[in-house]
C-alpha cells in the first residue's frame, strides 16, 4: 500500500500511518500510530501499509510486498528474500510497515536472510512496524537435515532523531515470526521478531540459547521456556 500524499493524509492500507507523522502497522505497531494490526500469523498474505504523509507536501513511505514460495523439497536461501517497508523519504515522513513472506516446503537450508522489516522514519518521522513471516516445514525432515544458519527478521524500523528539531518520534515494533517448532533457535540465533510456534505456547526446553544482534520476543503468557545450560545475548541482542 502507498504512503499518504501529504502531511495531512494517513497512509493507505489497514494499518496506514496516522497523522501526525505516524509509521504504518502490520504484524507490529508503527510508531505514533493509532491504527491497527492486521493479517494472519500462520497464513501471511497481506501487503504492508503506507506511512503517513510527510511535512511540506512530502509523500509517505510505501509498505512492503508479498512473497510466497511453495516447494516439494528443500528451499535453500544463501542470499536475501525481503519484503521490507520503505523508509520515510522526506521531512517527517513515516516509515512503511513490512509485508509478508510465506515459505512452504519440506526443509529449509542455507545461510541467508529472510526479512519483512518496517521502514525507518525520516527526520523525526515515526518508523514502520514489522511484517509477518511464516516458515512451514516438515518438522521430522528438518530434524534429520539439521539447523541451518538462516536468520529471519520482522524488526520494526528505527526512528530518525533530529537534534536540531529537538524531538524524536517512536520506532516501530516487532512483527511476527511463525514456525512449526523451535528447532531453528538452535546454534546462534540472529532472528528478530515475535516468536510464535505451537511449542512456544506450552512448556518447552532448550539445551542453550544464544541470540546475536537480534531481538526476540516470546509469548507473554501460556508458555514456559527452560534453558538448561544458560542464555547468552551478544552484539546488543534483546530477549523479552
Amino acid at each position: 500500500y502507498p504512503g499518504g500524499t501529504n502531511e495531512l493524509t494517513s497512509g493507505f492500507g489497514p494499518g496506514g500511518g496516522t497523522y501526525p507523522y505516524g509509521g504504518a502497522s502490520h504484524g507490529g505497531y508503527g510508531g505514533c500510530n493509532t491504527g491497527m494490526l492486521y493479517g494472519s500469523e500462520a497464513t501471511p498474505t497481506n501487503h504492508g501499509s503506507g506511512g503517513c504523509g510527510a511535512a511540506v507536501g512530502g509523500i509517505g513511505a510505501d509498505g512492503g510486498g508479498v512473497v510466497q514460495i511453495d516447494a516439494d523439497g528443500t528451499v535453500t536461501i544463501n542470499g536475501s528474500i525481503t519484503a521490507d517497508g520503505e523508509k520515510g523519504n522526506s521531512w517527517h515522513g513515516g516509515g512503511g510497515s513490512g509485508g509478508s513472506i510465506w515459505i512452504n516446503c519440506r526443509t529449509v537450508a542455507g545461510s541467508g536472510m529472510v526479512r519483512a522489516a518496517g521502514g525507518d522514519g525520516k527526520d523525526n518521522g515515526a518508523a514502520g512496524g514489522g511484517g509477518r513471516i511464516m516458515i512451514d516445514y516438515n518438522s521430522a525432515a528438518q530434524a534429520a537435515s539439521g539447523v541451518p544458519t538462516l536468520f529471519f527478521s520482522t524488526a520494526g524500523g528505527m526512528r530518525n532523531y533530529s537534534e536540531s528539531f529537538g524531538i524524536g518520534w517512536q520506532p516501530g515494533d516487532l512483527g511476527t515470526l511463525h514456525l512449526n517448532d523451535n528447532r531453528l533457535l538452535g546454534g546462534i540465533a540472529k532472528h528478530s521478531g515475535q516468536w510464535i510456534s505451537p511449542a512456544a505456547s506450552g512448556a518447552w526446553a532448550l539445551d542453550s540459547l544464544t541470540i546475536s544482534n537480534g531481538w526476540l520476543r516470546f509469548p507473554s503468557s501460556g508458555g514456559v521456556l527452560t534453558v538448561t545450560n544458560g542464555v547468552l545475548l551478544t552484539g546488543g541482542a534483546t530477549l523479552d
Side-chain angles (χ1 to χ4, degrees):
Y1 293 97
T5 53
N6 60 60
E7 64 179 309
L8 298 177
T9 305
S10 295
F12 295 92
T18 52
Y19 179 78
Y21 321 129
S25 300
H26 181 190
Y29 284 107
C32 302
N33 189 339
T34 58
M36 57 182 252
L37 303 182
Y38 63 97
S40 169
E41 300 162 356
T43 56
T45 57
N46 293 92
H47 290 77
S49 293
C52 186
V56 198
I59 297 173
D62 295 342
V66 176
V67 177
Q68 185 167 347
I69 298 173
D70 290 299
D72 293 330
T74 298
V75 172
T76 302
I77 305 164
N78 288 319
S80 300
I81 298 175
T82 60
D84 295 341
E86 185 183 44
K87 297 179 180 181
N89 51 32
S90 59
W91 194 54
H92 280 184
S97 58
S100 297
I101 299 175
W102 185 0
I103 298 175
N104 181 23
C105 58
R106 180 171 172 78
T107 59
V108 288
S111 58
M113 172 183 66
V114 180
R115 189 180 68 206
D120 297 344
K122 173 70 172 178
D123 295 336
N124 292 307
R132 299 190 186 276
I133 293 174
M134 170 59 171
I135 311 296
D136 188 2
Y137 51 81
N138 181 293
S139 292
Q142 191 68 52
S145 66
V147 178
T149 54
L150 288 166
F151 73 96
F152 313 107
S153 176
T154 54
M158 301 296 293
R159 67 180 184 179
N160 189 308
Y161 181 80
S162 173
E163 226 175 86
S164 61
F165 196 72
I167 61 172
W169 291 115
Q170 299 168 352
D173 198 15
L174 299 170
T176 58
L177 300 176
H178 194 293
L179 291 92
N180 289 357
D181 55 36
N182 299 310
R183 192 171 311 282
L184 299 191
L185 285 175
I188 299 176
K190 299 181 180 180
H191 315 308
S192 291
Q194 303 177 57
W195 190 267
I196 299 167
S197 78
S201 61
W204 53 293
L206 295 171
D207 289 336
S208 63
L209 176 61
T210 299
I211 303 173
S212 175
N213 297 290
W215 179 2
L216 274 179
R217 179 180 301 153
F218 293 134
S220 59
S221 62
V224 178
L225 168 64
T226 302
V227 181
T228 304
N229 295 313
V231 176
L232 177 62
L233 306 180
T234 67
T238 300
L239 174 63
D240 62 14

